[in-house]
Amino acid sequence: MMAGVATVCEVCEGKRFQASVLEYFLGGRNISEVLEMPVSEAEAFFGEGDAKILSAHKILSRLCDVGLGYVKLGQPLTTLSGGERQRLKLATHLSEKGRIYVLDEPTTGLHLADVEQFLGLLDRLVDSGKSVVVIEHHQAVMAHADWIIDLGPGAGHDGGKIVFEGTPADLVADRSTLTGDYLARYVGN
């Protein structure tokens, strides 16, 4: 498989817009400069001053909430990792009026620091009265949960039965399942 080749346009010098478009400014910046901003910078930019646009600020705040503050506004979706795309999708759903979130393996591909930030987001959702159901194998998420339903006793055809239901502390103390054993090792018991 050959890698893609990218070249910088000689006319616009990689700004992606005609010179006539770049003559227009918002808050002292043209569209090319705005698209080069990381989400966290753009959140501040659209939150105050001449560029204050509350709807844009609200969307950018959600992107920061899911840990995407470092992504540039104009960054192509094809350059995002699987974990970044999943958090982007979650950010779009945070604006909906639903009261229940069901997440399937939301930490796949996330760095440990991103998992911690993600757990903070889940806490805020629960604190705001939302219900969050997470299907997850990440031990930090399991240890952080309010309630665990462990299915087993094995995978595939060997599973499908509830083998434990209770708090993470109860699962660690019980240690009757493979999940309980691994979680006990993770929390140091």
Side-chain angles (χ1 to χ4, degrees), residues 14 18 20 41 46 49 56-57 63 76 78 80-81 83 86-87 97 100 138 144 151 155 160 186 189:
Q18 295 178 359
S20 61
E41 182 182 336
F46 286 109
H57 181 261
L63 291 173
T78 55
L80 298 179
S81 71
Q86 183 156 308
R87 287 180 284 151
K97 297 194 187 283
I100 299 173
H138 196 291
H144 193 81
L151 299 175
Y186 174 78
N189 286 344

Side-chain angles (χ1 to χ4, degrees), residues 134-156:
V134 181
I135 302 155
E136 184 62 79
H137 289 91
H138 196 291
Q139 293 161 326
V141 177
M142 287 189 279
H144 193 81
D146 293 329
W147 197 256
I148 292 179
I149 300 172
D150 189 6
L151 299 175

Side-chain angles (χ1 to χ4, degrees), residues 4 12 14-15 29 41 45 48 61 106-107 115 127 144 177 185:
C12 73
K15 292 186 171 91
R29 299 195 185 197
E41 182 182 336
F45 177 75
E48 56 193 39
S61 293
T107 63
V115 172
D127 291 345
H144 193 81
T177 70
R185 286 189 246 159

Side-chain angles (χ1 to χ4, degrees), residues 5-142:
V5 176
T7 59
V8 177
C9 174
E10 295 174 11
V11 175
C12 73
E13 298 175 339
K15 292 186 171 91
R16 301 186 293 181
F17 296 93
Q18 295 178 359
S20 61
V21 173
L22 298 175
E23 293 174 4
Y24 294 93
F25 291 86
L26 175 67
R29 299 195 185 197
N30 66 35
I31 185 67
S32 181
E33 293 167 330
V34 170
L35 290 176
E36 281 298 310
M37 289 183 190
V39 168
S40 58
E41 182 182 336
E43 178 192 22
F45 177 75
F46 286 109
E48 56 193 39
D50 294 337
K52 185 174 185 178
I53 301 174
L54 293 180
S55 57
H57 181 261
K58 188 175 183 180
I59 291 166
L60 295 165
S61 293
R62 283 196 298 269
L63 291 173
C64 286
D65 282 346
V66 298
L68 293 175
Y70 60 90
V71 173
K72 289 185 179 181
L73 289 185
Q75 186 171 333
L77 290 174
T78 55
T79 65
L80 298 179
S81 71
E84 288 167 335
R85 286 191 303 259
Q86 183 156 308
R87 287 180 284 151
L88 178 61
K89 185 176 180 180
L90 177 60
T92 64
H93 289 292
L94 290 176
S95 65
E96 296 173 0
K97 297 194 187 283
R99 303 228 354 117
I100 299 173
Y101 291 91
V102 179
L103 307 172
D104 185 10
E105 302 282 354
T107 63
T108 300
L110 294 185
H111 184 274
L112 189 54
D114 294 326
V115 172
E116 289 298 321
Q117 182 169 358
F118 182 74
L119 291 175
L121 172 63
L122 295 182
D123 286 342
R124 289 191 302 279
L125 287 172
V126 171
D127 291 345
S128 72
K130 309 270 194 234
S131 294
V132 181
V133 177
V134 181
I135 302 155
E136 184 62 79
H137 289 91
H138 196 291
Q139 293 161 326
V141 177
M142 287 189 279

